[in-house]
Amino acid sequence: MEIAPNAQPPVAKLGDHGKYRFDEQQKLKEAKKKQKAVVWKEIRMAPKIDEHDIETKLKAAARFLDEGDKLKITVRFRGRELAHPDRGRTLLLAMGERLKEHGVIERLPLLEGRQMIMVMNPVRPQQVQQQQRPVPASAVVSAPAAARPVAPVPTPLRPTPAPTARPAAAPPRSRPA
């Protein structure tokens, strides 16, 4: 059996092909065990939700994100509520802000038909450690003034023309009677 055919010289070993195939199947089985399927959870609400009900939904959402599940938060609009999609957007963004310790907004609120949907991902433990870890004072070294990079000064590509005054509109003509 060839182990590394591209090596110089090629590497090969003698062995039982049946045992080799069995070992490969066992490796694939172990790799599958270590994989984790993505589980989606959904929370639905209306734009006219009360504060106490929001607290209840937030507790459930925090629990879902802490368990490592993806979260889909949906605001359903009924009847005339669809005339005010800004209420749903502010509600979803406020929920995202209140859940920032538990998850990260993957997809901002988007109106799809009569529903506005926002998707959140759970915060991984390594992300939490990186966010909470302060930078040690010994790591911050000030560079001499000559070595510091200078930020470029933005220049406009072309000057914007000044608005021109329009002539006053003529008064409406009177009709002969």
Side-chain angles (χ1 to χ4, degrees), residues 70-135:
K70 262 189 155 182
L71 184 64
K72 178 178 171 183
I73 305 174
T74 306
V75 175
R76 292 180 142 188
F77 295 96
R78 296 170 58 189
R80 294 183 190 168
E81 293 174 348
L82 201 54
H84 303 284
D86 53 321
R87 290 187 65 161
R89 179 170 282 110
T90 55
L91 175 64
L92 287 173
L93 290 174
M95 286 201 61
E97 183 66 29
R98 291 165 83 173
L99 288 170
K100 67 181 175 186
E101 296 88 31
H102 305 280
V104 179
I105 296 175
E106 177 186 320
R107 196 173 100 188
L108 289 172
L110 183 67
L111 187 64
E112 296 177 359
R114 293 189 159 272
Q115 297 180 348
M116 187 171 286
I117 299 170
M118 180 175 77
V119 177
M120 293 188 75
N121 278 337
V123 175
R124 303 281 180 243
Q126 52 208 309
Q127 289 176 338
V128 173
Q129 290 173 358
Q130 289 175 358
Q131 290 174 357
Q132 293 177 353
R133 189 179 331 142
V135 178

Side-chain angles (χ1 to χ4, degrees), residues 1-52:
M1 291 185 295
E2 284 186 326
I3 304 298
N6 296 333
Q8 202 59 25
V11 179
K13 75 173 185 179
L14 296 175
D16 184 11
H17 187 67
K19 183 179 179 190
Y20 172 74
R21 284 186 47 210
F22 176 77
D23 290 339
E24 290 297 314
Q25 288 174 350
Q26 294 302 315
K27 285 180 189 175
L28 287 174
K29 194 184 286 187
E30 285 297 317
K32 270 189 179 178
K33 283 182 184 178
K34 292 179 183 176
Q35 290 178 354
K36 185 179 180 227
V38 177
V39 179
W40 283 78
K41 300 284 182 160
E42 181 178 11
I43 291 185
R44 295 181 188 161
M45 62 184 94
K48 295 184 193 175
I49 191 168
D50 194 39
E51 185 61 33
H52 183 269

